[in-house]
Amino acid sequence: MGEADGFDLSAASLRAAAGDLKSFVPVLADKLESALPGRVRVERRRAGFLSGAKVVSRVECGLGDRQYRLEQSGGSWHASKSTVVRGVALKSETLPVEQWLDALLADLRVEAQSSEESSRALGRLLAG
């Protein structure tokens, strides 16, 4: 099996897991944080009033001129992708989570083809 086939299988498993967002988002956040340090910001909040546990409330990932955001609001998850130039969002679109994930993985794949560091990061993201 080639590297592209491995990527496609791993990406497919991530998409399949996206159906259970309560379990999927924390795993994705952790993987993105470790795979792309400094390019991912994860916000966590307390799970409840007296709870010490924290849950992911927002994930932001910058890839080139693209900014990906996944955030919880009103009990549901909202995903968006923006094109950012010199710190200004020129175009922003709201996407279903599965399309958002597809776009994120596609941009990661393009970056991985042009950079060895990004290639290793993509491998860490899709591993396990």
Side-chain angles (χ1 to χ4, degrees), residues 44-60:
R44 293 172 174 86
R45 61 174 170 70
R46 289 184 182 266
F49 180 65
L50 297 175
S51 175
K54 297 209 174 200
V55 295
V56 174
S57 59
R58 179 186 297 183
V59 178
E60 293 181 356

